[in-house]
Every structure is written in structure tokens, then in C-alpha cells.
Amino acid sequence: MSKKKIIEKLKEYHFEFKHLTVLFIILFSFQLILSFINKSSINSFLSKTQDWYQKDSAERLANLTTTSLELLVETLNPKEKLEDDEVNRIIQSFDIIFSQQVLQHNIEEICVLVTKDKNIYAIDDGSILFSFLFKNEYNPPKPKVGHSNAIKIFQSIKNDLISKEQIYSILTDKQTFHILVPFVLRGEFVGALYMKNTPNFSFITNQISSSYDETSVIYLSLILFGLLAMYFISSYTVKERDEAQKLLFEEHEKNLKKQFNYEKELLFTKRIYHTHHKAEKVMGFIKDDLRQLNPENTKEIKDRVTKYSNFISRVIYDMKWYDPPVQTIRNPIFRTNLNEVIRFIVEHIFLRISRKSNAYQIELNLDENLPIVPVNEFVIWEIIEPLIQNSIEHGGEQFLTIIIKTKYNPEQKLSTIEISDDGKGILPELIEKTDDGIQKIFLENVTSKKTDMQNVGYGCYIAYEISKRCGWELHAKNFSGKGCALIIAIKN
């Protein structure tokens, strides 16, 4: 994918102020979580490192002490008789080794564990250790400081010490090490040096952790300030864009209103153009009825002329409003019998024109159970009349039979008016629906007539638009043989 296409793809996504806010919170939260995870990892690493180093340092110190004792003893020849001064010097050296280790704040206990006559003795005094090592018949006394725990540990691992001669470390209380180092003189296992050591290097880890905390705070602060700067800059940019977009939307809304009003005015003009010649035709019927007026047909002609006059009034009313109020179309005060309206339109409009009588016939199949509808009677005229006229004009050259059928389905509470003919039918492409779900026959300025006239193709369009305002559904279909039907569905 090229760079240009990537940029165009990104332009499809518009970030709003709330998106930036969420993005800012997510980024900062992730950084905060990452910091905590990193700190936890470092603390775990430092803890493991400290544990290892504590054990290693404790074992090294115990091993160094044992080695010092062994080297001191190795320098002496057990067969030579030692002078009193030399004996005192050796005892003093033993005491120094014991005392110097105890002086360290982390060493709590130190002694040499030896066995004699199946007994275990703990020695922490230089003179006692000298007597034990150089006087074979000497039995060490009990030490002044109790080393019972050291004796128990030594007794439990004595055999392993003798066989493996390795340093043993036992950890208690998570920090205290009990270390036993084999005490071997001239290749012979004598006992073990016991040391209780509690090394503490937490000050080092605390210092490292504190330094990391300071670094993390500085790092998070820099990131926070950076994100805040980006956030405010982006917010300001988005704000300006939103203001410009708002002005654009307002301008677009004004243009849409203008376009909507223009379309309503255009529909009004076309509706008036489409109905004014019908009004002229009805006026001709009125004049003709007045000429035929006599005492015998006065009531009949009076009722018919009244209907004609009311239709003319409706046409005049429509000329005043390009967008008539809904209550003048649908209203509970209207109680219209659809069957009566259809009969009057057929008998006193279409069948009254003599020149059409040899071209078509109209048959009525009306369901007397059809409910009353709350729609203005003369609005129904504006729907039914152009649909019948459409069948007459587009049915073909042969003699045409038009059937107008009404039916009521009480289960579905649905009334239908079907205007069908046995003509050539509707062009298949006009039955197809647009993306908006409207059949093309009901679109503006759509006709199957071969003509260059502009004011054609509005009969079905006007009927469809008025049907929508009545809350009715209008659709068209072709029959499998020949002919077609225009069907109005009315929910009661």
C-alpha cells in the first residue's frame, strides 16, 4: 500500500475530544502499570540477589574462620612439647578468632562442635579448644553459653558432614543462617565450626529501590507533562475543527432546509399542475349536471354537484398550501367509506367520459366489511384517481378491463385496495427498488410514455407521496401472464 493511500485511509477516521481524552487516560494508565510491573520485577530481582549474597557471604565468613583455625593448628607439631608462652599465644589466638567474629553485629553465635566418647561438645573458649586438641584424655566442660540448638543441628547432619565434608547452610526466619563447616585437622574429621549468622543488606536494596523510585517519578512526570502538552494541543486543534465543523453543519442544515422547501414547493407545483385539469373536467361535469336539472333528478344532481364542489374546494385549498397540515389529511373527525369513494370516482368521473367507453371497462369487487378510515375523502380522490388513470393510459392499445378490488383481513387488521388490469403490464425495470427501498415507478418524472414533455410521470409519484402522508403503503406488481396491479395497504 502506497504512502498516499495510507494517508487517505487515516483521513477517514475523525478523532473527537472524547477520543483524545480516552487515549490520554489509556496511555498514562499503561505507563503507570508498566512502572509498577517494572518496580515489582526489580524488587523481586533484588530480593533474590540479596538472599543469594547473604548466604554466600555467611558461608564465606564461616569457611574463612574454620580455615584460620585449621591453619593455626597445622603450624604446630603435636609431638613437640610446647612452652608455656607458646601455649598461651595459641590459646590467645583461638580466643581472638572466636571473639573477633562475635564482635560483628550480624553474627549471633559461634562455636566448634566436636565429638568424644559419643558425646557432642560445643567449644567457644580458646583454652578448652587447645586442651581438647592437644590433650587426648581431656574432657571439655559444658560451655558457659548454651549451644543446644547448634548441637541438635550438628547431630542431625553429622553423618553427612563426615561423608561429604561439605558446608551445610540451614535458613530459618527467612534471614538467619545456621552454617556448619567441617573442621578437619591433618586429614582427619574432628568436628564442625558452627556459626549463626543474620546478614542484613536491606540498606543496599532499599537504596537501589529508592533510586529507582526517584527515576520512575521523574520519568513518569516527563511522560505526563509530554502527554498533557500533546493532549492540550490536540484538544485545541480538535476544538477548532469542531467549531469549523459545527459552522459547516449549520450551513449544510440551512441548505438542506432550502432544498427541502424547494422540493416541497416543486411537488406542490406539480401536484397543482396535475390536478388543475381534473378540476376543469369536474367543472364541466357540474355545468352538464346543471343543464340536465329537472324536478325529478334534483336530489341526485344536488348530491353529485355537492361532491364535485367539495373536490373543487379541496383543490383550491391545496393551492394555498404546498405543505398542508397533517390534520387536514388524517383526522378522527373524518369518517370516509372507501367503497363509496371508489364507486363515485368510477361512476361519475371515469365512466362519464363517453370517448373512453369503447377503450376500457371498469369492474368493481368491493368488500362491504371494509372499515371506515379517518382520512379526508378528497385526499383519497387524489390517490385513487391517478392510479386508475395510470392503468388506462399505460394498459395498451387493446380493450382494457380494469378491476378495482377491496378486501379486509380482520386477523391482520389490514385493508387493501387493488387496482389491476389485463394490459401489457409495467416495465420490469420500474418494478425494481432503489437503494432507499422505493419502486422506481413511484419516483419523480418516471414514465413509460415515449414523449419529450416535462410534466409527465407524476401521477404515481403524487399518489405515492400522498399515500405516505396518510400512513398507507403503495406498491406495484406484474402478473405472471399479463397485466399488473397497484395495491394500497391500510393498517386499521
Side-chain angles (χ1 to χ4, degrees), residues 187-318:
E188 182 181 353
F189 179 84
V190 177
L193 176 77
Y194 169 80
M195 183 178 289
K196 183 180 180 182
N197 194 346
T198 308
N200 186 7
F201 300 100
S202 59
F203 66 94
I204 298 176
T205 56
N206 290 338
Q207 186 65 32
I208 295 173
S209 180
S210 177
S211 300
Y212 175 77
D213 289 341
E214 292 176 2
T215 306
S216 296
V217 169
I218 295 172
Y219 180 66
L220 283 174
S221 299
L222 291 174
I223 290 179
L224 177 61
F225 289 138
L227 287 175
L228 284 173
M230 293 171 59
Y231 176 72
F232 285 119
I233 293 171
S234 302
S235 301
Y236 181 75
T237 305
V238 170
K239 183 180 178 182
E240 287 189 337
R241 188 205 68 188
D242 289 344
E243 289 177 356
Q245 198 174 51
K246 182 181 178 181
L247 294 175
L248 180 63
F249 285 158
E250 289 176 355
E251 185 68 23
H252 186 59
E253 184 180 4
K254 291 179 182 178
N255 292 334
L256 284 177
K257 287 181 179 179
K258 290 179 181 178
Q259 181 67 24
F260 186 63
N261 291 332
Y262 171 76
E263 289 178 355
K264 289 196 290 186
E265 290 176 357
L266 189 62
L267 175 60
F268 164 71
T269 304
K270 292 168 182 175
R271 188 176 72 243
I272 295 304
Y273 176 84
H274 199 77
T275 57
H276 84 278
H277 70 280
K278 294 182 178 62
E280 291 177 347
K281 180 171 61 176
V282 171
M283 286 298 296
F285 294 157
I286 293 174
K287 292 176 183 179
D288 186 55
D289 281 342
L290 292 176
R291 284 193 294 268
Q292 297 177 16
L293 186 63
N294 57 57
E296 287 78 16
N297 62 6
T298 300
K299 187 178 185 308
E300 178 186 350
I301 290 178
K302 178 184 175 182
D303 293 339
R304 190 160 60 240
V305 170
T306 300
K307 289 275 189 181
Y308 288 149
S309 301
N310 288 335
F311 177 73
I312 297 297
S313 298
R314 181 68 192 190
V315 171
I316 295 171
Y317 177 83
D318 286 345

Side-chain angles (χ1 to χ4, degrees), residues 342 363 365-366 384 387 402-407 415-421 475 477 479 484-489:
I342 294 170
E363 298 178 1
N365 182 5
L366 306 178
I384 301 296
L387 296 180
I402 299 172
I403 300 174
I404 302 176
K405 179 182 178 182
T406 61
K407 186 177 180 181
S415 300
T416 55
I417 303 173
E418 181 179 306
I419 302 171
S420 60
D421 62 66
H475 66 277
K477 70 175 183 178
F479 295 126
C484 63
L486 296 166
I487 303 169
I488 300 172

